DNA sequence: ACTTGGCACTCACGGGAGTTGAGTGCCAAG
DNA sequence: CTTGGCACTCAACTCCCGTGAGTGCCAAGT
């Protein structure tokens, strides 16, 4: 009973702080939310909440501010879902439906997500390691130059130009193409190395150098390029907070420039379904101690292939942002399936 | 004689202001630069420079600050060249030499440029409209699905998947491929539309729908995708200035998110050789009134194909930045030629 | 066992006053 | 044309104090 009200107080504090960005005091609290008790009572509850580590005072004569732990509790147990309005849903779907190819889907998604959450958005390209090879093509550009194109089921197309040690006869090329297709088509990307490694043996000695060049190019493509791609948008929203808030945006911008870090942020979204929230210092990345990261996975068919999400200050609108991220991830999944 | 000293004073003001970021007064000026005259004399010169619009006072009791016009004069007539040190050159070359493909060259270039200038860097992909088609490939993925790949002499590879209205016989495919190659290989990108437009006529009625799908896909690729690509890096450097300076970074970040604006910034670098500098309000883009843009073109062979550059506060180190941009553009040209 | 009103206490914040000092413009003499 | 002198301006800093929001604690009430 009293425990219940304490949590109601915590929820009220989070909501007020998120909307005003100012420490919230006991009096303002009873005025804005009809809690049916006096400020003094609230003060007792607040003292308890502070002992438990859910809220803190910036300084003695100020109101309370939620701690990371407080937000965590809010997200886990207090936040209701805040579904998007039908017009919003329609707008999302319409905007994404206009995309013409995968690049377009990704760039539209990142712009969309940044716009509706008013935060920095991150969208990962469908992960190659979790995809399968739909087709391989090997084409001669000149007598010693080949291009190998790998088409992935997510719609990604990876290509690479190969410089061969010597002229490649048409027959060898055809043979190699056929064997490559046989070895790779339908295989998952991560199993490519083992499928391709003994391809060389089927060829006469003369062709070996060429085959070797192609095989190592393919290997490089599937290993090097496994540095997945992440697109980023809405960084200007950072400055909006920077103006009036103690978030130093420089370290955040620096962190967001590193692909590795972006991948870490998105990659650790292990929750298979639903939305992952990492709050403040829960986040292992230096420079992002004052930010929260909300991510969700999107799927191709029934297989999660990558993540997307947003980065924002810890005092963000969690319910709204979470449902936006969730909805966008679902729509992206749907779009990918259609293609 | 006196005119000469006035310009020396302007140069000294710009140099001091750029290094200290504080309004510079007459006394400090004679101390730091041995001008051989008294502060009072300098004050007369400064009054004249102010009348001419080269410098201004933030407030009555402060020193002088260069105006955009002052920087312009500095850049045009006063700035010496500040060549990069041999180690710097070596580092640039080495870093770029390690690039494995065009994407890698671009991303390395933008990181490099941001790092050595400590500013926001912009690098445009080699412009398709100024490139020629090296090769075209048309490959069947399934009975109704084709992929068309256009390889450009700059190393760019554009591809697109085409959904055909019906099954495509191998013979039609081969024919179409041959005609596409004949029509496009070696042509400049901007002449693709006229080369391809009457391709349809050579086919029997049955094949027309397929040919039409392919032709329109190619047309879309060369028109839509002419929205050139620009990569961006080093945005964190903006925050460094933001801390202590009256540049609102939000509008700058917003502007930098728009590809169109980035292209405008880079695109207007019309000077064929050398470096283009646009200072403060010379720049037509809203939100960038307090920034300068320094760009240079890079070339493939003897043909300028795209631009790169940096965006920074007007009070930047022009000589250093200009030579860095110039040098990087030259090295990129060299790397592209090697490939 | 909670809740509540009262009360003393803390302390960030804002405004006002005074001081400082860098920098200027002007002028008369060199 | 240069220079030293001089009066003037004004941002920036410091000190100070009043204000008020907010707290913690306690004793009385339910």
């Amino acid at each position: 009973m009293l425990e219940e009200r304490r949590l109601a107080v915590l929820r009220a504090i989070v909501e007020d702080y998120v909307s005003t960005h100012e420490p919230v005091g006991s009096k303002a609290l009873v005025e804005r939310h009809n809690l049916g008790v006096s400020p003094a009572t609230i003060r007792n509850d607040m003292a308890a909440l502070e002992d438990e580590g859910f809220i803190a005072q910036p300084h003695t004569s100020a109101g309370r501010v939620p701690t990371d732990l407080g937000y965590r509790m809010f997200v886990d147990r207090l936040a209701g879902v805040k579904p998007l309005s039908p017009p919003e849903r329609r707008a999302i779907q319409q905007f994404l439906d206009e995309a013409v190819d995968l690049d377009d889907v990704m760039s539209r998604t990142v712009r969309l997500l940044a716009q509706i959450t008013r935060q920095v958005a991150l969208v990962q390209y469908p992960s190659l390691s979790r995809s399968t090879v739909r087709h391989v093509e090997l084409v001669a550009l000149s007598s010693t130059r080949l291009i190998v194109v790998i088409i992935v089921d997510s719609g990604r197309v990876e290509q690479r130009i190969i410089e061969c040690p010597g002229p490649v006869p048409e027959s060898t090329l055809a043979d190699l193409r056929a064997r490559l297709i046989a070895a790779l088509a339908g295989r998952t990307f991560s199993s490519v190395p083992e499928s391709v490694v003994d391809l060389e043996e089927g060829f006469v000695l003369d062709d070996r150098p060429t085959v070797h060049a192609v095989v190592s190019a393919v290997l490089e493509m599937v290993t090097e390029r496994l540095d997945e791609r992440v697109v980023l948008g809405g960084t200007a929203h950072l400055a909006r907070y920077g103006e009036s808030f103690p978030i130093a945006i420089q370290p955040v911008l620096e962190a967001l420039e590193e692909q590795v870090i972006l991948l870490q942020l998105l990659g650790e979204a292990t929750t298979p379904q639903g939305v992952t929230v990492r709050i403040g210092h829960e986040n292992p990345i230096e420079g992002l101690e004052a930010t929260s990261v909300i991510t969700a996975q999107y799927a191709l068919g029934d297989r999660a292939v990558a993540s997307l999400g947003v980065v924002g200050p810890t005092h963000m609108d969690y319910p709204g942002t979470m449902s936006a991220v969730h909805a966008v991830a679902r729509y992206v999944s749907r779009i990918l399936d259609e293609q």
Side-chain angles (χ1 to χ4, degrees), chain A:
Chain A
M1 189 62 180
L2 81 169
E3 183 67 16
E4 210 168 283
R5 195 193 51 219
R6 277 231 285 270
L7 292 180
V9 170
L10 176 56
R11 176 203 273 118
I13 292 175
V14 171
E15 285 173 358
D16 273 24
Y17 185 63
V18 162
S19 70
T20 66
H21 293 177
E22 266 165 29
V24 14
S26 52
K27 194 173 147 213
L29 217 49
V30 292
E31 277 169 9
R32 261 195 288 240
H33 310 257
N34 34 7
L35 294 168
V37 289
S38 80
T41 310
I42 300 298
R43 282 206 288 279
N44 292 330
D45 291 338
M46 285 169 121
L49 285 169
E50 183 160 15
D51 283 345
E52 295 170 283
F54 294 125
I55 56 177
Q57 283 181 284
H59 52 261
T60 321
S61 71
R64 302 307 215 290
V65 161
T67 60
D68 290 351
L69 195 62
Y71 289 121
R72 168 54 60 201
M73 173 66 93
F74 177 79
V75 167
D76 287 348
R77 301 193 35 201
L78 304 173
V81 282
K82 193 198 238 171
L84 300 185
S85 68
E88 277 177 311
R89 299 186 166 273
R90 258 202 311 283
I92 294 176
Q93 180 148 28
Q94 209 170 340
F95 187 67
L96 291 184
D97 266 340
E98 287 166 13
V100 299
D101 63 8
L102 185 66
D103 281 334
D104 205 17
V105 172
M106 296 291 112
S107 84
R108 278 170 181 267
T109 303
V110 77
R111 290 207 302 274
L112 183 68
L113 198 52
Q115 198 205 318
I116 59 185
T117 64
R118 298 177 43 90
Q119 240 125 38
V120 181
L122 267 47
V123 179
Q124 182 186 8
Y125 267 66
S127 162
L128 290 181
S129 57
R130 282 181 260 175
S131 305
T132 60
V133 176
R134 193 195 274 164
H135 195 77
V136 194
E137 261 309 325
L138 190 64
V139 176
L141 298 179
S142 68
S143 63
T144 64
R145 227 173 197 170
L146 306 178
I147 181 170
V148 58
V149 181
I150 301 183
I151 294 136
V152 184
D153 60 355
S154 57
R156 266 179 90 160
V157 180
E158 295 287 319
Q159 89 282 316
R160 179 144 182 167
I161 293 172
I162 303 166
E163 211 65 61
C164 291
V168 185
E170 178 57 37
S171 59
T172 308
L173 188 65
D175 192 15
L176 184 50
R177 176 192 298 133
R179 293 197 199 220
L180 265 181
I181 294 174
L184 299 185
R187 307 295 295 261
T188 74
F189 227 83
S190 48
S191 70
V192 164
E194 57 195 76
S195 319
V196 93
V197 74
D198 45 353
L199 210 64
E200 224 167 306
E201 292 165 14
F203 289 85
V204 297
L205 272 185
D206 276 358
D207 288 339
R208 292 273 174 98
T210 296
V211 175
H212 182 75
V214 171
V215 166
S216 44
V218 169
L219 283 177
E220 272 181 39
M221 283 168 75
V222 299
T223 51
E224 272 183 23
R225 300 275 181 93
L226 277 191
D227 64 329
E228 318 277 4
R229 287 181 61 192
V230 179
V231 285
L232 181 72
T235 46
H237 292 302
L238 277 181
R240 189 165 44 89
Y241 287 97
E243 300 262 330
S244 62
F245 269 87
I247 299 178
I249 61 175
Q250 179 160 15
V252 180
L253 278 174
E254 274 168 11
L256 294 179
E257 290 224 343
E258 308 261 359
Q259 287 278 322
V260 192
I261 290 184
L262 298 184
L263 281 169
Q264 245 177 296
L265 290 176
L266 289 173
E268 290 178 15
T270 45
T271 325
Q273 273 297 338
V275 175
T276 302
V277 180
R278 245 159 311 131
I279 297 167
H281 65 259
E282 291 174 12
N283 208 304
I285 315 282
E286 199 164 342
L288 298 184
E289 300 85 2
T291 62
S292 290
V293 182
I294 297 185
T295 56
Q297 297 193 315
Y298 64 88
L300 178 63
D302 52 356
R303 197 171 75 258
V305 287
S307 301
L308 52 77
V310 305
V311 177
T314 49
H315 49 76
M316 64 165 68
D317 168 19
Y318 288 94
T321 310
M322 286 167 71
S323 56
V325 169
H326 185 69
V328 170
R330 279 175 32 110
Y331 281 112
V332 170
S333 302
R334 190 180 300 178
I335 296 286
L336 287 182
D337 279 343
E338 284 171 11
Q339 293 197 333

